[in-house]
Amino acid sequence: MSDRAALLAALAWQLDLGADEAITDHPQDRFAESQPKAPATGTAGAAPRATTRATGAAVAARRGGDGDLFPGPAASAEPGGETAPAAPLAAAAKSLPELAEALASWQGSDLRKGARNCVFADGQPGAPVMIIGEAPGADEDRQGKPFVGRAGQLLDRMLAAIGLDRAAEDPAHAVYITNILPWRPPGNRTPSDREVTAFLPFVLRHIELVGPRILFTIGNTPTKALMNTTIGIRRMRGQWQTHQPSGLPLLPSFHPAYLLRQPAEKRHAWRDLLSLRAALDDSSGGT
Ligand code: URA
């Protein structure tokens, strides 16, 4: 194998592992690192602060917001560089567009610095079922919409099998889809507990504003986050729960990305979908 072919093969292997971006969780200013060190003075804190602001502005300019259902503004630093607490900010949002804007401009997570788009939601806000996944992947980050990659295509086929469709406006067929995290974690890694906790107030407000009859969590991350449990999805799936504080019925099931890797588990997911369909029929009161 030539050197070039070997390098390309190594690159493809890294991409398969999910290492598709040359970034880390925290921004590193390589230009600043290569500069000679300034002698220590009483104003040592000034340069890094300026660097951090410049990096944030560059990233905000790169983020387009294209394709967002509820596009938010570009990132803006809080006056004085402080980060507003998530819970009052989320509570102050009186509509879904206001919540999308609050989420997109919130500076409380570094994930925003490695992502292109704040991925808010897709589907119909008046839908009886709200589907909650984990976090955007590369395709979702590019398009600004949740579940548009391979896992999303499988999710669409699963929903179609029980008569649901994210493009439907009619409440009998409509669904609403979002994630726990609106920003793509680098390399599609699993979100940390800290990240999930940080975004939870926005998710809870999102549920209040959408007002669904049923929550359908797909995968470990949304199930653990919303049920405040450490029990894994293999034990939780298919077991109806009551979500607090909303009091809504919540059904956990497998994530479609897991089903793509473990097709034999689709039979369990099918049972969960039938259970969801039955609950929707029961709760519709014949409408
Ligand atoms: N996986 C998720 O959990 N959410 C998405 O939007 C895409 C993939």
Side-chain angles (χ1 to χ4, degrees):
M1 196 186 277
S2 71
D3 279 0
R4 186 168 186 278
L7 282 171
L8 286 174
L11 197 58
W13 182 70
Q14 288 195 33
L15 283 171
D16 281 350
L17 291 178
D20 55 359
E21 299 205 4
I23 57 171
T24 60
D25 282 0
H26 301 285
Q28 293 180 28
D29 187 341
R30 303 289 184 199
F31 293 107
E33 281 171 14
S34 63
Q35 298 300 313
K37 292 235 177 334
T41 69
T43 57
R49 267 177 72 89
T51 305
T52 308
R53 288 224 184 104
T55 308
V59 172
R62 181 158 61 78
R63 223 177 270 127
D66 52 309
D68 264 355
L69 178 62
F70 302 101
S76 62
E78 298 279 324
E82 295 298 316
T83 299
L89 196 66
K94 298 290 177 250
S95 65
L96 290 169
E98 275 182 33
L99 185 68
E101 193 169 316
L103 202 48
S105 58
W106 188 56
Q107 304 290 315
S109 167
D110 277 349
L111 286 177
R112 59 182 301 114
K113 295 179 182 164
R116 284 198 184 106
N117 279 302
C118 182
V119 177
F120 186 63
D122 195 18
Q124 202 54 32
V129 58
M130 181 165 176
I131 300 171
I132 305 180
E134 179 175 294
D139 294 314
E140 290 76 19
D141 183 37
R142 254 191 305 275
Q143 296 186 38
K145 270 191 189 181
F147 284 101
V148 292
R150 275 185 73 219
Q153 286 156 21
L154 175 57
L155 178 64
D156 285 344
R157 291 199 295 279
M158 290 161 64
L159 295 175
I162 55 164
L164 300 177
D165 177 359
R166 70 166 91 190
E169 291 181 11
D170 153 22
H173 304 287
V175 289
Y176 187 85
I177 307 176
T178 190
N179 282 306
I180 295 288
L181 261 55
W183 303 107
R184 179 195 182 202
N188 293 349
R189 64 160 170 73
T190 303
S192 67
D193 288 350
R194 216 168 131 250
E195 287 162 347
V196 168
T197 305
F199 283 101
L200 207 51
F202 292 105
V203 181
L204 297 179
R205 184 68 183 140
H206 205 158
I207 294 170
E208 276 176 358
L209 289 170
V210 171
R213 293 204 299 264
I214 291 174
L215 299 172
F216 188 50
T217 52
I218 44 179
N220 251 320
T221 299
T223 305
K224 287 181 169 176
L226 291 180
M227 292 312 302
N228 194 18
T229 180
T230 54
I231 302 174
I233 191 65
R234 297 187 61 79
R235 279 179 54 207
M236 291 289 280
R237 65 138 284 276
Q239 313 286 329
W240 281 94
Q241 311 288 324
T242 302
H243 172 250
Q244 297 301 349
S246 70
L248 290 170
L250 179 153
L251 181 65
S253 190
F254 287 136
H255 193 288
Y258 173 74
L259 297 174
L260 287 171
R261 294 194 301 274
Q262 303 287 340
E265 301 279 23
K266 284 184 184 169
R267 63 205 161 101
H268 295 302
W270 176 235
R271 262 191 230 136
D272 301 343
L273 287 169
L274 291 179
S275 183
L276 174 64
R277 181 70 261 171
L280 282 169
D281 292 342
D282 282 353
S283 70
S284 72
T287 56

